Amino acid sequence: MPELVFFSGTMDCGKSTLALQFEHNRTTRGLQGLIFTRDDRAGEGKLSSRLGLVTDAVEAGPGLDLYAYVVGELSRGGRVDFVIVDEAQFLLTEQIDQLARIVDDLDMDVFAFGITTDFRTRLFPGSQRLIELADRFESLQVETLCWCGARATHNARTVGGEMVVEGEQVVVGDVAHSAAEVGYEVLCRRHHVRRMTSASARAGVLSPDVLPVSSA
């Protein structure tokens, strides 16, 4: 039976790499897929991995009806055996409903990849709807680590190395960024609550205000 499957994890855990692997494995078996993405780091209409892999994709902007797009491809004589969606957290809730309709009405597997919560630990609307509708929810097993070495469970947004907890839910950035840019970092819950990024942790260690404790 076709399924809507949601693969999720923190940033930098290999979601896009897995999406590309799914596409490769099925293509080598003679199947043809359709890839949607939204706000990929490589630019519009691209699905990219931090390992350097990249492929073309359909940009799933807020005005795109995903179900109608697939039906249009089929109506023009195209072949679509499966659908892959990367950065699925950025999709509108109605677009997630369209993915479910692709599964149910077109008998087609849909594999969605994304993160569940934003930098404020709030669910993305697209991810919430996927959790509500998906036939299967898969947590990726590639663990990412906080700067302290503990398992990273939360996504943090940084500006100039400092963690921020206010602002628009969607601001495109990356885990590799200069100090002046908007960036993202994965943290354990303890350090997310304390708003302690790797940069602020280093500053704390090097701060001249932190005096050594004398045993005298």
Side-chain angles (χ1 to χ4, degrees):
M1 289 289 291
E3 291 184 310
L4 172 59
V5 188
F6 182 29
F7 295 89
S8 185
T10 60
M11 294 179 298
D12 211 20
C13 74
K15 296 181 300 300
S16 298
T17 301
L18 183 59
L20 288 163
Q21 187 68 54
F22 262 63
E23 192 271 340
H24 171 75
N25 289 350
R26 282 156 179 76
T27 299
T28 57
R29 294 296 181 269
L31 302 176
Q32 294 185 27
L34 186 60
I35 302 175
F36 293 105
T37 190
R38 175 82 180 274
D39 293 336
D40 188 273
R41 71 185 70 85
E44 184 173 327
K46 298 292 181 182
L47 166 55
S48 67
S49 163
R50 291 190 177 91
L51 297 182
L53 305 172
V54 62
T55 192
D56 291 329
V58 177
E59 185 72 14
L64 183 65
D65 184 321
L66 307 185
Y67 177 82
Y69 190 96
V70 175
V71 170
E73 287 291 303
L74 297 172
S75 298
R76 288 188 289 272
R79 179 179 171 187
V80 182
D81 297 309
F82 63 93
V83 171
I84 287 175
V85 185
D86 197 32
E87 306 294 357
Q89 72 274 6
F90 295 144
L91 297 186
L92 302 178
T93 56
E94 53 264 37
Q95 290 176 312
I96 304 301
D97 291 340
Q98 293 157 14
L99 294 180
R101 190 180 177 194
I102 291 171
V103 175
D104 297 337
D105 292 359
L106 304 180
D107 292 325
M108 195 178 297
D109 283 316
V110 175
F111 307 104
F113 300 80
I115 59 179
T116 52
T117 57
D118 64 16
F119 68 104
R120 301 165 301 182
T121 70
R122 301 290 188 266
L123 283 168
F124 283 97
S127 298
Q128 179 178 333
R129 192 61 178 148
L130 273 166
I131 293 170
E132 292 166 348
L133 291 182
D135 298 293
R136 245 183 330 124
F137 177 84
E138 298 284 348
S139 180
L140 298 190
Q141 299 304 308
V142 178
E143 289 190 353
T144 52
L145 300 178
C146 177
W147 59 265
C148 69
R151 179 173 176 267
T153 54
H154 289 63
N155 305 304
R157 179 183 294 171
T158 61
V159 177
E162 296 293 325
M163 181 175 160
V164 295
V165 293
E166 296 181 354
E168 295 292 329
Q169 186 175 51
V170 179
V171 176
V172 178
D174 203 353
V175 294
H177 60 280
S178 68
E181 295 176 335
V182 173
Y184 291 90
E185 182 174 349
V186 288
L187 300 172
C188 63
R189 184 180 62 245
R190 175 183 301 175
H191 289 124
H192 192 280
V193 169
R194 296 178 180 178
R195 302 186 188 181
M196 187 176 291
T197 66
S198 56
S200 62
R202 286 194 300 270
V205 171
L206 300 175
S207 172
D209 296 328
V210 180
L211 301 178
V213 177
S214 172
S215 60

